[in-house]
Amino acid sequence: MSESTAPTPEPLPAGWLRLDRAGWWGTFAVTPLNGIMLGIVPINLGTTTARSFDISIWWGFLMALGAIVPVFLVLYLVQRLRYPQAWVSFDRNELRAGRRVVPLADIVWARLEMFDRKRAHTRMLTLRFGAEGGPRASVRLRGRTAQTLPTAVTDIVAEIIRRSSIAVPQTPNDPTGRFARYNYPGSLGRADALEVVLNPPTIDDPAPVLIA
């Protein structure tokens, strides 16, 4: 992708601004691990209980069904704890999530999570970014019905990316970053992150990242 050269909107909003984030459906749909856990944990729990107490496998099946709701709630809570409500202040040049506050320049990573709904012919996109070991944010760029961010929100997220230090991770074995796309699926550099924010790719566009 080529870095967008769109002009920075002026004036920027003052004070602390709340960032929109992915809803519960988007959170689970674009994160494969959540779906895997939601399927495997209840089944393992049901089969293990059935074998331990030497009861019918059908009772294990019923236990698995009953465990889906609590497992879902735990996964949802963990996701919300990992990505608390994020706020940004361009006056202070800071990002705040929960109780943690960092300068925007300390934002060093960004990952794009993508889920193609082929039957509906739509692509869901969620951008996650944050500081190393610090606060992080989650923003839904394209929803399950193909809706995108309002222009005002897009401008805010784009400006955060512009002021960040986002870069694709590198390893000693790949100092030039040639294989970073494969070593770190979903990771974006600052230019590519800005591009997907300003122009969220549709299902008809080439996939901007590899998904593990």
Side-chain angles (χ1 to χ4, degrees):
M1 297 181 190
S2 60
E3 183 174 359
S4 174
T5 57
T8 302
E10 293 290 348
L12 291 169
W16 285 102
L17 306 170
R18 178 176 175 173
L19 293 182
D20 290 346
R21 58 183 179 181
W24 72 269
W25 167 251
T27 295
F28 280 84
V30 302
T31 308
L33 181 60
N34 285 333
I36 294 172
M37 294 291 290
L38 191 59
I40 291 179
V41 172
I43 292 174
N44 285 344
L45 180 62
T47 55
T48 301
T49 302
R51 291 171 181 171
S52 299
F53 292 93
D54 194 22
I55 57 179
S56 170
I57 192 64
W58 291 107
W59 281 109
F61 176 72
L62 292 177
M63 291 178 185
L65 288 179
I68 289 177
V69 173
V71 171
F72 171 86
L73 292 176
V74 169
L75 291 173
Y76 182 82
L77 178 61
V78 169
Q79 195 72 18
R80 283 306 189 217
L81 290 175
R82 289 188 65 196
Y83 294 93
Q85 180 60 60
W87 301 72
V88 62
S89 171
F90 294 121
D91 303 327
R92 301 166 61 98
N93 207 38
E94 292 178 336
L95 176 75
R96 184 182 79 205
R99 298 181 179 180
R100 308 195 67 176
V101 181
V102 295
L104 294 180
D106 284 2
I107 299 174
V108 294
W109 63 265
R111 287 191 295 271
L112 184 68
E113 295 179 352
M114 181 177 66
F115 179 75
D116 288 344
R117 303 177 66 227
K118 297 186 184 300
R119 290 187 178 182
H121 199 70
T122 58
R123 170 175 288 170
M124 298 174 62
L125 297 169
T126 298
L127 181 69
R128 306 190 191 278
F129 55 87
E132 190 67 35
R136 58 186 73 187
S138 173
V139 180
R140 182 170 53 194
L141 302 180
R142 186 177 292 279
R144 63 190 182 95
T145 58
Q147 75 274 20
T148 55
L149 293 173
T151 300
V153 179
T154 296
D155 292 341
I156 291 172
V157 178
E159 184 60 23
I160 293 174
I161 301 302
R162 290 189 183 100
R163 298 191 184 194
S164 74
S165 303
I166 291 172
V168 177
Q170 295 182 358
T171 64
N173 295 329
D174 182 30
T176 64
R178 179 180 179 184
F179 300 103
R181 176 180 174 88
Y182 305 96
N183 294 332
Y184 302 96
S187 292
L188 297 171
R190 184 169 59 180
D192 289 343
L194 180 59
E195 180 67 23
V196 298
V197 168
L198 296 177
N199 302 292
T202 68
I203 195 172
D204 295 320
D205 298 320
V209 294
L210 292 179
I211 301 299

